[in-house]
Amino acid sequence: MITLILFGPPGSGKGTQAANLVEKYGLLHISTGDLFRYEMKNDTPLGLKAKSYIEKGELVPDSVTIGMLKNKMDANKAVKGYILDGFPRTTPQAEALDELLASGRNEVTTLVALEVADDVLVQRLLGRAATSGRADDADVDIIKNRIEVYKEQTSVVAEYYGRSEKTAYVNGVGTIEEIGNRLGEAIDTFLA
Ligand code: AP5
Ligand code: MG
């Protein structure tokens, strides 16, 4: 079982690159952001709970997020592996993922972190606001808060997996194809 963590700040290209990696490696793409947006669109209790955090660019509490991820993985056990996009985002989430995988005698294969400068992230997300319909893309202060939250609460997760030498950093600026090739090279060294 392969478990790839596609990591990086808001707007770094996780969703864009996950789409290509799914084809290349035949894995299931799980984006916790997409799962939350689905719940919000359907006005479920989970969606209503998540909405107040997401609209401010804050993280949804770990207990809610971990439970949702676990349900999604449990419902898809017969897959070759997973591409996790936007999870884990805190050390407790990383610890919960390790435990979940260990219960099936598995572990994280690698964490690949896309690196993109803050000003480029802001430009990309403001550009996307016109089509995404995402409240958290529409306001520059919320975008900046998302980037701050990433630095303060999420970036430590790359170091967490770095301790077991599973983290690889990839330049996230360039064409989508160039970045896809860089990610593929980094991932393949962990699959060899
Ligand atoms: P989430 O949905 O995960 O959003 P995010 O991390 O803020 O990242 P984005 O989806 O905005 O960006 P991306 O990296 O996927 O980039 P994309 O490919 O779209 O999370 C949303 C919220 O949900 C969080 O703030 C939080 O509240 C909550 N949440 C989710 N997971 C959680 C968790 N685990 N714990 C707690 N809370 C959680 O690209 C962005 C734009 O750039 C697009 O327009 C794209 O076309 C463009 N682009 C991509 N690549 C390039 C390129 N190479 N050159 C130029 N433009 C490019
Ligand atoms: Mg995304």
Side-chain angles (χ1 to χ4, degrees):
M1 171 87 73
I2 298 169
T3 301
L4 305 178
I5 299 173
L6 194 49
F7 198 74
S12 56
K14 300 182 295 294
T16 304
Q17 294 297 334
N20 298 328
L21 295 175
V22 160
E23 281 192 30
K24 183 165 182 198
Y25 297 103
L27 306 173
L28 177 70
H29 175 208
I30 302 180
S31 156
T32 41
D34 287 349
L35 293 176
F36 282 132
R37 282 184 286 278
Y38 177 82
E39 300 286 336
M40 291 194 297
K41 201 176 82 190
N42 289 292
D43 285 329
T44 66
L46 176 62
L48 292 174
K49 202 181 271 179
K51 192 173 181 187
S52 58
Y53 298 95
I54 293 179
E55 284 186 348
K56 287 186 256 168
E58 299 291 333
L59 295 185
V60 179
D62 283 341
S63 57
V64 177
T65 308
I66 291 167
M68 181 178 73
L69 189 271
K70 187 174 182 311
N71 287 342
K72 184 73 182 175
M73 286 177 98
D74 282 347
N76 291 280
K77 279 190 168 157
V79 297
K80 195 173 146 195
Y82 307 100
I83 298 180
L84 302 182
D85 156 1
F87 186 97
R89 258 174 151 101
T90 62
T91 304
Q93 289 183 20
E95 289 166 351
L97 175 64
D98 280 354
E99 260 179 53
L100 195 61
L101 292 173
S103 68
R105 294 174 189 270
N106 287 307
E107 57 182 53
V108 167
T109 309
T110 178
L111 177 154
V112 276
L114 290 164
E115 295 186 297
V116 178
D118 291 359
D119 57 331
V120 178
L121 298 173
V122 174
Q123 287 316 315
R124 283 186 187 177
L125 293 176
L126 283 176
R128 190 179 63 183
T131 52
S132 71
R134 281 175 57 169
D136 61 348
D137 283 350
D139 181 313
V140 73
D141 289 330
I142 294 172
I143 292 176
K144 285 185 176 161
N145 189 44
R146 287 160 65 194
I147 295 172
E148 274 316 300
V149 166
Y150 172 82
K151 287 181 186 171
E152 283 170 13
Q153 299 180 49
T154 301
S155 59
V156 290
V157 173
E159 291 147 33
Y160 174 88
Y161 289 104
R163 290 206 290 274
S164 48
E165 299 186 347
K166 288 181 175 175
T167 292
Y169 292 93
V170 170
N171 176 2
V173 179
T175 67
I176 289 166
E177 194 187 351
E178 280 165 353
I179 298 162
N181 290 338
R182 289 176 204 147
L183 286 171
E185 269 178 40
I187 291 165
D188 287 345
T189 62
F190 289 92
L191 297 181

